[in-house]
Amino acid sequence: MLGAADTRALRVLAMEDPVANVFILAHLDSSGSAAPTSGGASVFGVFDGDALVGACWAGANLVPVQLDPELASRVAAVAHRAGRRYASIFGPAQTVLALHSRLEQLGHFAHEVRADQPLLAISGPPAVEPNPQLGFGNIADFDRILPACAAMFEEEVGYSPFLGSEDFYSRRVAGLIRQGHSLVHIDAGGAVKFKAELGAVTAQATQVQGVWMNPEFRGQGLSAGYMAGVVVLAQQFAPITSLYVNEYNTRARATYERVGFQRLGTFATVLY
């Protein structure tokens, strides 16, 4: 388990791929330390002598950091012994699937495995005109934004984010709004037409999550303009805008390609 003294080594390791590792880099930016958090999350490190050669965030989710797939079984065994229940694993596909394989042997059975999720990124201006109506969410609109976020979550993973604790998810959404990481268009009638969030933000890159178009406005050719708007707003924080998408979501992938996103690699997500 890494401690405060390992912070610099973890940052150097993660900076080998600042797009794929934006989650852990954003955590280090906000916390300033690789030490365990007050909420019980920690980072496992794999060393070769004194050199940190791989790591894995272990909180509500498992997130590998420059972790060779051949080392994943060892990390999975330690994650199992920690006694936590993990909601998901996400990150580079080969390592995620190796972690999942070992955890499955240890009794952690997945609800769903999304083994092929293209990791996409764009730097520079989008290839289509951004929709100027997209802007940053305002906490005054929280009661409109929260149901849209919940609808997206349920559509994406198949169950309500309010199961167990409505308060936790609500605080997460409110926090994104207050940070300026909520992007939304609310029409004159008060309906959320489109929304997305910047789930992780560093000086090098942002990672877009929660992309959602209100079903009432789908099929009207609006998605590309909104995603171009996401890129423009995200680039106020960092030069690279990234996201990962299910391989089978051909409509979304076509939109991202039209906007100018290019594939950098492959992620996978395992949902428990």
Side-chain angles (χ1 to χ4, degrees):
M1 186 180 295
L2 301 186
D6 301 301
T7 302
R8 183 180 180 279
L10 179 59
R11 185 181 294 277
V12 170
L13 180 72
M15 282 298 293
E16 292 178 9
D17 190 337
V19 176
N21 297 319
V22 65
F23 173 87
I24 194 68
L25 288 167
H27 167 71
L28 292 177
D29 285 349
S30 63
S31 70
S33 177
T37 71
S38 58
S42 57
V43 182
F44 302 130
V46 181
F47 288 83
D48 182 2
D50 293 332
L52 181 66
V53 296
C56 186
W57 168 268
N61 310 294
L62 291 173
V63 187
V65 181
Q66 299 300 105
L67 182 65
D68 191 297
E70 294 184 359
L71 299 172
S73 63
R74 301 184 189 187
V75 173
V78 174
H80 170 70
R81 290 199 298 271
R84 297 182 67 104
R85 291 188 64 183
Y86 304 103
S88 73
I89 316 171
F90 64 87
Q94 287 187 316
T95 301
V96 166
L97 297 175
L99 285 166
H100 164 58
S101 177
R102 180 59 178 143
L103 284 169
E104 189 172 49
Q105 295 171 1
L106 296 169
H108 299 256
F109 299 106
H111 165 67
E112 185 178 354
V113 178
R114 300 176 179 182
D116 187 358
Q117 297 178 305
L119 174 64
L120 310 176
I122 181 175
S123 59
V128 301
E129 190 71 22
N131 189 324
Q133 295 176 302
L134 187 71
F136 294 105
N138 191 304
I139 198 64
D141 294 315
F142 173 77
D143 289 341
R144 294 185 175 92
I145 296 172
L146 178 63
C149 292
M152 177 284 307
F153 185 99
E154 188 162 357
E155 188 174 327
E156 179 70 14
V157 302
Y159 59 87
S160 170
F162 299 137
L163 287 177
S165 174
E166 182 173 341
D167 181 62
F168 177 81
Y169 187 75
S170 298
R171 285 189 284 109
R172 168 65 174 162
V173 172
L176 289 167
I177 296 171
R178 291 192 177 98
Q179 289 174 296
H181 297 170
S182 169
L183 313 177
V184 64
H185 174 208
I186 300 175
D187 69 14
V192 174
K193 294 185 68 172
F194 175 93
K195 70 94 189 168
E197 290 83 44
L198 305 179
V201 176
T202 70
Q204 295 78 33
T206 59
Q207 187 175 87
V208 179
Q209 66 178 32
V211 177
W212 182 80
M213 176 75 75
N214 188 320
E216 293 184 16
F217 302 100
R218 294 176 187 176
Q220 299 179 23
L222 301 175
S223 296
Y226 278 124
M227 281 307 305
V230 168
V231 171
V232 170
L233 295 176
Q235 287 178 349
Q236 295 186 24
F237 296 93
I240 300 173
T241 307
S242 71
L243 55 84
Y244 56 99
V245 59
N246 293 317
E247 186 276 337
Y248 56 77
N249 194 344
T250 55
R251 181 173 294 180
R253 290 180 61 194
T255 295
Y256 300 144
E257 182 177 349
R258 182 181 170 198
V259 171
F261 283 86
Q262 296 183 334
R263 187 168 187 167
L264 299 184
T266 303
F267 266 28
T269 300
V270 178
L271 300 171
Y272 290 101

